[in-house]
Amino acid sequence: MRTTKVTDGIYRLSANVHDILFEGFWPIPNGVSLNSYVVKGEKCAIIDGVCDWDGVPETLFAQLDEMQVKLEDIDYVIINHMEPDHSGWLDAFRKLRGEFTVYCSERAKPLLEAFYGIVDNVHTVKSGDTLDLGDGRVLAFEDIPNVHWPETMATYDTKSKTLFPCDAFGSFGAVSDDAPYDDTLQEEHIEFFEREMERYYANIVSAFSAPTQKAIEKVDALDVRIIAPGHGIVWRRDPQRVVRDYKRLTSYAKGPAKPEVTVVWGSMYGMTEQAVRPLVDAIEAEGVPTHVHRVPETGLSFVLESALQCSGIVLGMPTYEYKMFPPMAAALDEIGKKKIQNRVCLRFGSYGWSGGAQKELDEINERLKMNWKFIEPVEFHGRPRENDIETLKERGRELARAVKEWSLGARPAK
Ligand code: FEO
């Protein structure tokens, strides 16, 4: 990786990570970047860092070398967010640098001690506090709790109007050395990162959509010319584009989202499966696009992304030991934990000796305050008969109409 200049006195250092599961369980087939920024006044600060996986801190140090910044030249380490994908490098930094001065939020302080045993030279800051780097460069701090952990803050360079929001406005996707900026990328590549942003948001940020909306309100109050996040590309030409993207995604969590339907289905012996295609065709015949995912074959990460973006959800599964098909229950539980709320939902599926899926579905919906509205379910004993398929198609059309209505703002009656 190479160091690149964001603007006068600000440099982007970055490491791309592949072949891992992000947070230990989210697949990143297109990798992810971990971004760090060096900000120079008369004093020098580094904002955010990288993880401690093999070779990653060394990648960061090599970029400091490249820009002829010695580790001892770094006066301040600013920690916007303590999750180890940004703070893991601190152990390696301390071994090379010795003592150093940290600026972080009050809530980050105990995590610094718990994760890395760092207790000395830790200055805590809160919204409105500043750090003067000299040469007219003043950094201002703003708490943005729960974007994505409670201790998160954003740093704003008042000189260049650059915002460093860490996870907020981030995305998955490895970033090319040659074009880490929206003004150095072709439109198709910017759109690639916007797609990667959608799954990143659904997996990492969605559970915190309400605090993210509050953080965006704070951003709206600032004169922001550049947005330099902890993951993904830097937005220099049109920072409002990523703000709009994030506003859209935060609004999807509570709904309505797009007038589309996510169909999640699972089948043990093919009986529930027989009903999937007729149902999908009936929904699409109403002009409502569908996104079909079989579980457990499709990973949760992708199901979440789809569910976040659709106002309607179909759950198709057999009853399993008096309950929901377990991969479906796991998916639904996670969708609820990500606070994907206020969906219109249709359930269908096969049962053998007993039903019981609805009871568990109701329990999850209630426990996680999902507030989903259900179309009358369609259950069939064993294989679906012709009349079952016809009923299901009618319910699919009903779902499609409700989704269109909800997406235009009129919530359907329960
Ligand atoms: Fe990229 Fe919440 O860390």
Side-chain angles (χ1 to χ4, degrees):
M1 297 294 296
R2 280 191 297 111
T3 307
T4 59
K5 182 175 169 181
V6 177
T7 188
D8 284 346
I10 300 180
Y11 301 86
R12 175 187 181 275
L13 291 65
S14 185
N16 284 327
V17 179
H18 298 270
D19 303 326
I20 55 131
L21 293 172
F22 196 75
E23 291 190 329
F25 71 127
W26 306 117
I28 44 170
N30 296 310
V32 65
S33 69
L34 310 170
N35 303 333
S36 180
Y37 299 92
V38 167
V39 182
K40 285 180 166 177
E42 288 161 1
K43 299 277 191 181
C44 178
I46 188 164
I47 300 177
D48 296 328
V50 293
C51 61
D52 64 346
W53 297 318
D54 273 355
V56 177
E58 289 72 19
T59 300
L60 192 73
F61 300 144
Q63 289 169 71
L64 288 169
D65 272 351
E66 180 194 322
M67 57 186 293
Q68 297 175 329
V69 170
K70 298 189 187 71
L71 294 184
E72 54 269 29
D73 294 339
I74 295 175
D75 300 290
Y76 307 112
V77 173
I78 294 169
I79 297 174
N80 280 327
H81 175 31
M82 273 299 298
E83 190 165 10
D85 53 327
H86 306 283
S87 66
W89 72 300
L90 288 172
D91 271 338
F93 181 62
R94 182 169 47 179
K95 278 185 193 135
L96 296 169
R97 170 72 167 80
E99 294 301 308
F100 55 93
T101 300
V102 172
Y103 278 69
C104 65
S105 70
E106 186 67 42
R107 283 171 146 177
K109 193 174 179 180
L111 293 176
L112 259 177
E113 181 174 6
F115 288 7
Y116 308 111
I118 294 173
V119 291
D120 296 327
N121 303 317
V122 177
H123 293 258
T124 60
V125 290
K126 60 185 181 312
S127 289
D129 288 348
T130 56
L131 172 63
D132 190 343
L133 298 182
D135 198 23
R137 176 146 263 144
V138 176
L139 299 179
F141 304 107
E142 188 67 47
D143 292 314
I144 51 167
N146 297 309
V147 190
H148 129 244
W149 284 7
E151 88 300 351
T152 312
M153 65 178 196
T155 300
Y156 175 68
D157 172 40
T158 55
K159 185 174 185 178
S160 65
K161 320 289 187 200
T162 301
L163 181 73
F164 304 93
C166 202
D167 277 350
F169 308 117
S171 76
F172 287 147
V175 178
S176 152
D177 265 355
D178 297 328
Y181 303 102
D182 65 341
D183 53 296
T184 56
L185 286 164
Q186 300 296 318
E187 174 62 22
E188 67 191 276
H189 295 125
I190 296 174
E191 288 171 8
F192 162 82
F193 284 104
E194 286 179 312
R195 286 193 299 278
E196 288 287 307
M197 183 186 297
E198 287 163 350
R199 195 165 57 84
Y200 167 90
Y201 187 92
N203 293 182
I204 310 297
V205 187
S206 176
F208 308 99
S209 290
T212 303
Q213 279 179 332
K214 285 188 184 155
I216 292 172
E217 285 168 17
K218 291 183 174 183
V219 173
D220 280 342
L222 293 171
D223 177 12
V224 174
R225 309 274 170 86
I226 299 172
I227 292 182
H231 305 288
I233 61 173
V234 174
W235 302 80
R236 291 192 301 203
R237 180 172 55 199
D238 186 6
Q240 284 307 311
R241 178 167 174 169
V242 71
V243 174
R244 285 193 299 276
D245 285 338
Y246 261 68
K247 282 182 178 173
R248 177 173 56 85
L249 292 169
T250 57
S251 75
Y252 282 174
K254 266 202 184 291
K258 295 178 187 172
E260 299 178 8
V261 171
T262 286
V263 178
V264 192
W265 69 279
S267 189
M268 294 164 66
Y269 298 106
M271 297 186 194
T272 296
E273 183 175 7
Q274 288 176 27
V276 174
R277 179 43 54 189
L279 173 60
V280 165
D281 289 345
I283 294 169
E284 294 201 336
E286 290 288 320
V288 173
T290 63
H291 308 270
V292 182
H293 308 281
R294 182 173 187 169
V295 289
E297 285 81 352
T298 303
L300 185 55
S301 170
F302 300 90
V303 173
L304 285 171
E305 177 198 1
S306 187
L308 176 73
Q309 298 205 66
C310 292
S311 291
I313 297 196
V314 167
L315 305 175
M317 81 228 113
T319 297
Y320 185 94
E321 296 176 356
Y322 307 103
K323 292 192 171 176
M324 294 169 72
F325 184 52
M328 183 67 75
L332 186 65
D333 200 69
E334 197 59 33
I335 291 170
K337 286 174 181 165
K338 295 302 182 192
K339 295 190 166 50
I340 297 173
Q341 300 169 336
N342 301 314
R343 268 37 186 182
V344 187
C345 180
L346 169 62
R347 179 181 70 80
F348 74 95
S350 169
Y351 68 94
W353 69 88
S354 162
Q358 188 66 41
K359 191 173 169 203
E360 190 180 15
L361 179 53
D362 289 342
E363 183 276 318
I364 294 174
N365 186 51
E366 189 75 22
R367 173 167 50 84
L368 297 174
K369 301 182 172 60
M370 296 165 73
N371 196 32
W372 286 14
K373 303 299 179 196
F374 293 96
I375 304 285
E376 187 180 346
V378 180
E379 291 186 307
F380 34 85
H381 196 191
R383 295 178 186 281
R385 307 300 196 272
E386 201 175 322
N387 65 315
D388 297 317
I389 294 291
E390 288 309 312
T391 303
L392 187 58
K393 284 161 69 176
E394 180 46 44
R395 300 277 156 76
R397 289 189 282 271
E398 188 183 338
L399 174 77
R401 290 191 294 271
V403 161
K404 285 190 279 191
E405 191 180 351
W406 168 221
S407 298
L408 292 173
R411 188 82 199 277
K414 192 171 183 178

